[in-house]
Amino acid sequence: MMSEQEKQYIVKQRALGKSFVQIGRELGRCESSVRYAFRHIMDKEPKMDEIIPAMVLGAGTPTTPKCKYCGRDFEKPALGGKQLFCSAHCRNAWGNEQKRRIPYGQVCEQCGREFIAFGNPHKRFCSRKCFADSRKAAQADTCVEVRG
Ligand SMILES: [Zn+2]
Ligand SMILES: [Zn+2]
């Protein structure tokens, strides 16, 4: 088995343009196992192209992922695949923001006009006025019922 350190080394040396044979010689391993390990790493990390330049520049530290919501750098967990957010809070906040941006074409129950409701597929009225009017109308109905 190849150690994590050796794998990192292979990736870094490949990024620097060394051949599998060269790297293998440096690690005291045969070329095919170096090649195999490298391919294995690439399978696990499909975005290696983005990571390699940073590794070369940043002395072996892989890029710190940035939170998609707050933009803060955060520690990527050793296990658990791709993480886009620094915290559950940010993930939820981002999700809510996305939902708020979804436009829903609605028809106002009060005036019958079409309107766009952002992030709310259950919005019933185009405006506060129509909402108020509908409440008044509902109250009026109740009154009629009570009287009748
Ligand atoms: Zn965040
Ligand atoms: Zn309306």
Side-chain angles (χ1 to χ4, degrees):
M1 267 299 281
M2 199 75 74
S3 77
E4 207 52 51
Q5 245 173 337
E6 282 174 298
K7 285 181 195 165
Q8 297 272 321
Y9 184 81
I10 294 166
V11 173
K12 226 194 301 177
Q13 296 309 306
R14 277 301 289 170
L16 293 169
K18 286 200 186 169
S19 72
F20 290 121
V21 181
Q22 262 181 304
I23 300 165
R25 214 174 289 148
E26 283 166 19
L27 288 173
R29 301 213 177 237
C30 65
E31 185 225 333
S32 64
S33 61
V34 172
R35 192 188 294 271
Y36 176 84
F38 184 74
R39 204 160 348 132
H40 196 70
I41 300 163
M42 289 315 224
D43 282 349
K44 270 204 294 195
E45 295 276 5
K47 284 193 174 166
M48 220 46 171
D49 284 349
E50 289 171 23
I51 295 168
I52 285 172
M55 283 178 84
V56 174
L57 295 172
T61 32
T63 43
T64 340
K66 273 195 179 12
C67 175
K68 209 170 165 180
Y69 183 70
C70 68
R72 207 164 49 185
D73 293 342
F74 63 95
E75 289 287 322
K76 201 178 179 179
L79 298 166
K82 239 200 288 187
Q83 200 181 323
L84 299 170
F85 305 97
C86 69
S87 60
H89 168 82
C90 280
R91 194 180 54 219
N92 291 336
W94 186 83
N96 288 337
E97 198 163 273
Q98 293 311 107
K99 265 187 245 157
R100 275 206 296 276
R101 284 180 190 151
I102 301 170
Y104 295 95
Q106 302 290 109
V107 176
C108 177
E109 283 183 18
Q110 179 62 23
C111 68
R113 211 167 59 181
E114 279 182 41
F115 68 101
I116 305 285
F118 283 95
N120 183 1
H122 307 295
K123 210 171 168 200
R124 295 162 61 194
F125 306 105
C126 68
S127 61
R128 277 174 186 278
K129 186 183 173 298
C130 283
F131 174 70
D133 286 353
S134 81
R135 292 292 289 270
K136 270 184 237 159
Q139 268 167 13
D141 282 351
T142 331
C143 288
V144 171
E145 271 169 36
V146 170
R147 261 185 240 141

